[in-house]
Amino acid sequence: DGDAVHETMMIYSWQGARTTEVGAAFREAFDAERDRVVVVLAGQIGASMPNWAPSRYLLESPVWVGEEGTEAAAAHADAFAVAPYIGEEPGSVEFSRASAAAFIGEAIEYVRGEGRWHAGSEEPGLRHLIRSDRALAEEFGLPLIAYEGGQHFVGSRFTRDEVNTHPKMYELYQALFDVWTEEGGGLFVHYGGIIPRGVSDPDTEPSYYESENFGAKERQPQSEAEAPKWRALRDRMRALGQFAGR
């Protein structure tokens, strides 16, 4: 498009090139079973929004194309993937601390792209990021998938112990899956499965890693009634016919 080469363009062009090369190596190794190999270009959620082009550089790989005279990385890929997480960004995306229910209520608005998270706001909600990524994927004839995703509430005992265990997390996850599907997303890989919550000194706020509670449930014996994120995942799998268990 005539843009001068810069660091971001070079980084994502290199990623596109290396992904293509690794994919080609696997296809050669699998030979007659090469159709089993799926090459995925993995970008950042919303990195296709106006005035933010990393994902376009990844798919177009302009530096690689210019230097090697080859096709864009997207021409060799089977899918474009992003990570649709729901999280906060201090100073821009922050949710109410009045209660866990209030926090999750605002997070649901963010996922749906409603209220202060509308399409024209300075911080558009998750729906609008997914919509932009889907449009970019379609431009290159690729499906949009999620290589990982879910809640990403970290940094405090409140989000670890009160928000992540609250029954309304079920509603938040159903909103996430609904929006992902409505905006044309395909395969969704949740991060993660059974992961114990972080542990910290009771007299201090936890560090980043101590504040994590990423698991769909925290321990193997937890029932669906005890683990709202786990129940949301299983209900969606049942609705899709992927899981017939009780």
Side-chain angles (χ1 to χ4, degrees), residues 224 230 233-235 237-246:
E224 290 186 20
W230 178 247
L233 282 163
R234 302 255 287 193
D235 278 354
M237 290 168 69
R238 279 187 279 260
L240 294 170
Q242 297 175 345
F243 173 68
R246 298 176 60 185

Side-chain angles (χ1 to χ4, degrees), residues 44-50 52-56 129 132-134 136:
Q44 184 177 354
I45 186 73
S48 59
M49 295 289 281
W52 195 28
S55 289
R56 179 169 293 280
L129 306 186
S132 179
D133 289 341
R134 174 59 177 164
L136 180 64

